Amino acid sequence: MYLEFRSVLKYFRDYVEASGGISEVKKGFDWSVWYAAKWWLEIHSAGAVNLKKPFVKALYLSLLAMRIIDEDGNIHKEVKKPELPKGLYAREWVEMHQLFDELGAVKVARDEVDRNSLDLLFSDIQVMGWHRLMVNAFLNAFGESDGHAVLEPFSREGHLAQLYLESYKPAAYLGYDPNPSLVEVAKQVVPNATFVAAPSACQLSGQFDVVLLVEKLQWMADPVRELDCISKLLKPGGKLYVAQPVADSTPGYLAILTAMGAQHVYTWTEVEQLIGIRFALEKRLVKTIPFYVAIFAKPHPRPARETLR
Amino acid sequence: MKLVKVFKGVCPKCGSPLTVEEVPGVKEVRCPRCNFSIDPSGFTIDVVVRLGDCEIRDWERFGQLSSTNQERVLQALESGLAPRELYPLLLKLKEMGVLICT
């Protein structure tokens, strides 16, 4: 699997060291490919391929991008079972794939899996050591500092807010989520942040310096409209921090995340084009692995043209 | 099972490190060593989960968690306290009947 070694080492040093080194991280990522290929094979053999299902689409797009399957979904390249990593966090990453595997890829593809099991796995992943290290690495890579008014779309159980507030002192922190039960949980876990139940940023008001789009795009049913409303809430020059698992990233993790109720799956170029409609790309940190990571900014309004006399 | 605020700091009188749980309705914090009354506004506030009397009822479902988080939950049950990031997970386990709290 192709790894952007320089970027990964530069921005994810803590994660790499905690995983036992770059070769251990690579072994972990190879497992993600192996499991994705295994799940695809199972779904394909069971006749459960339905590309309208985001979980199936995630597997299809990522394995196609890696030329492991052809356009018809037939296995084009065999994926050998990788060596198990020894590093604690790299093993935790592999274990996450194993836990999902036990739920049954075919059952997930057919919506026959117990929703509670998926929800439990989602909460489990949020507090896994590798995930917390990775999210902290993103925040460091963005070069975030104190004093900002921060907006977090789809704040879910408040894990990102908690990690953010452990490292930074924002002027304000507002998270919104369409699920009122998740909002209540987030309010209790992070009492020093504000959370509201709202289906979209279009229902909110205020002015923010920073928007955290860390693993968020997949929850947006209508991403262009959502980004449009987010743009209205962001001050001119305000930053949009993006970290998004994409079809060109780690296919197993993308599939797992998608199975949790994602609306869409993107390639890194699609993410960049989509966000680029309303925001200007300031810096692309990582293209694909582990995630697509970039900083966008809301352009300053153009000065009015001088009237010709 | 509930989230409680914990004040963390050093007693300005005797200098001993303090970890004092907030009592709803009581504004002052007393140093457990020298009984000095302290204004908690300058203290670091942490939020932790106080579990009370809880036990695992459904070990099969509990086994669906990652081994690290299984261990973290078991340690929390043993000590009666859990870090707040575990709260959503504990809540889910409780809702699913995996964890029973009285």
Side-chain angles (χ1 to χ4, degrees):
Chain A
M1 176 188 258
Y2 172 71
L3 202 59
E4 293 168 75
F5 283 102
R6 278 182 62 189
S7 301
V8 170
L9 277 175
K10 187 175 175 187
Y11 299 114
F12 305 103
R13 190 167 288 276
D14 284 356
Y15 175 75
V16 171
E17 285 176 3
S19 299
I22 198 83
S23 66
E24 296 295 287
V25 171
K26 191 184 173 301
K27 279 180 205 164
F29 290 167
D30 286 344
W31 274 96
S32 196
V33 179
W34 185 82
Y35 268 114
K38 177 183 185 285
W39 297 334
W40 178 262
L41 203 60
E42 288 171 2
I43 292 166
H44 200 253
S45 307
V49 173
N50 177 358
L51 292 177
K52 284 180 187 164
K53 305 254 181 208
F55 166 66
V56 181
K57 193 180 168 191
L59 287 172
Y60 176 79
L61 285 180
S62 51
L63 294 171
L64 187 65
M66 289 176 175
R67 297 182 181 183
I68 290 167
I69 59 169
D70 61 24
E71 285 193 356
D72 296 324
N74 299 310
I75 295 285
H76 180 69
K77 191 168 74 184
E78 198 191 336
V79 182
K80 283 187 184 165
K81 202 169 189 171
E83 189 189 333
L84 261 180
K86 293 178 187 73
L88 174 68
Y89 295 100
R91 281 193 89 113
E92 193 186 39
W93 162 268
V94 178
E95 192 190 5
M96 170 189 69
H97 289 76
Q98 197 184 334
L99 292 169
F100 182 80
D101 186 58
E102 284 165 10
L103 298 179
V106 176
K107 276 189 177 177
V108 175
R110 288 184 169 147
D111 287 333
E112 287 170 0
V113 80
D114 176 15
R115 185 70 232 176
N116 279 332
S117 298
L118 285 172
D119 287 347
L120 190 64
L121 182 57
F122 178 78
S123 298
D124 193 4
I125 292 170
Q126 302 306 302
V127 280
M128 283 183 185
W130 76 265
H131 194 266
R132 292 171 62 83
L133 275 167
M134 185 88 89
V135 172
N136 268 326
F138 293 143
L139 295 174
N140 286 334
F142 295 138
E144 180 56 339
S145 55
D146 293 341
H148 292 145
V150 180
L151 177 69
E152 185 197 346
F154 296 82
S155 45
R156 312 273 96 165
E157 296 168 335
H159 291 287
L160 177 60
Q162 197 203 332
L163 282 175
Y164 184 95
L165 290 159
E166 279 174 9
S167 303
Y168 306 100
K169 290 185 175 66
Y173 193 107
L174 175 67
Y176 70 90
D177 199 281
N179 186 328
S181 316
L182 291 178
V183 168
E184 283 314 306
V185 173
K187 275 181 184 173
Q188 292 181 67
V189 176
V190 199
N192 44 343
T194 307
F195 296 95
V196 291
S200 154
C202 307
Q203 272 73 48
L204 304 177
S205 60
Q207 283 283 280
F208 297 89
D209 303 297
V210 162
V211 176
L212 300 176
L213 273 191
V214 177
E215 292 186 287
K216 304 295 185 189
L217 273 180
Q218 73 278 0
W219 309 126
M220 297 175 185
D222 186 349
V224 173
R225 180 171 149 76
E226 195 62 31
L227 289 166
D228 203 18
C229 291
I230 286 173
S231 165
K232 285 172 187 159
L233 297 171
L234 196 59
K235 291 175 187 168
K239 307 283 189 235
L240 187 72
Y241 296 148
V242 182
Q244 182 65 30
V246 287
D248 335 58
S249 305
T250 50
Y253 179 64
L254 177 75
I256 294 170
L257 188 71
T258 309
M260 312 284 175
Q263 307 279 334
H264 302 291
V265 182
Y266 305 98
T267 61
W268 76 267
T269 46
E270 284 170 342
V271 170
E272 207 160 275
Q273 282 165 5
L274 193 66
I275 300 175
I277 295 172
R278 288 289 172 268
F279 302 90
L281 176 65
E282 203 163 82
K283 193 177 183 184
R284 187 195 303 131
L285 304 172
V286 183
K287 256 196 287 192
T288 55
I289 296 169
F291 286 14
Y292 169 79
V293 187
I295 301 171
F296 287 78
K298 179 177 174 176
H300 288 275
R302 287 181 187 167
R305 280 186 188 174
E306 278 183 40
T307 314
L308 292 171
R309 289 183 187 176
Chain B
M1 186 172 77
K2 61 176 182 178
L3 281 158
V4 291
K5 274 186 187 171
V6 172
F7 299 103
K8 287 178 177 174
V10 175
C11 173
K13 191 182 174 195
C14 70
S16 64
L18 289 176
T19 305
V20 182
E21 200 174 303
E22 183 194 49
V23 180
V26 180
K27 282 192 176 172
E28 73 169 6
V29 169
R30 283 195 176 271
C31 171
R33 196 172 163 196
C34 67
N35 207 31
F36 182 68
S37 173
I38 307 159
D39 172 14
S41 59
F43 277 36
T44 306
I45 300 170
D46 197 4
V47 177
V48 295
V49 188
R50 181 162 285 290
L51 281 154
D53 194 11
C54 297
E55 62 171 300
I56 307 290
R57 275 286 167 86
D58 184 346
W59 286 95
E60 200 177 315
R61 271 278 166 114
F62 185 68
Q64 286 183 353
L65 291 182
S66 60
S67 47
T68 320
N69 286 332
Q70 281 186 39
E71 193 52 44
R72 292 177 80 193
V73 172
L74 291 174
Q75 281 176 2
L77 292 179
E78 206 177 344
S79 67
L81 286 175
R84 64 170 156 168
E85 69 266 17
L86 281 188
Y87 185 68
L89 186 66
L90 292 166
L91 208 58
K92 212 153 276 174
L93 290 171
K94 204 173 155 219
E95 281 167 9
M96 288 166 70
V98 178
L99 185 69
I100 305 287
C101 297
T102 50

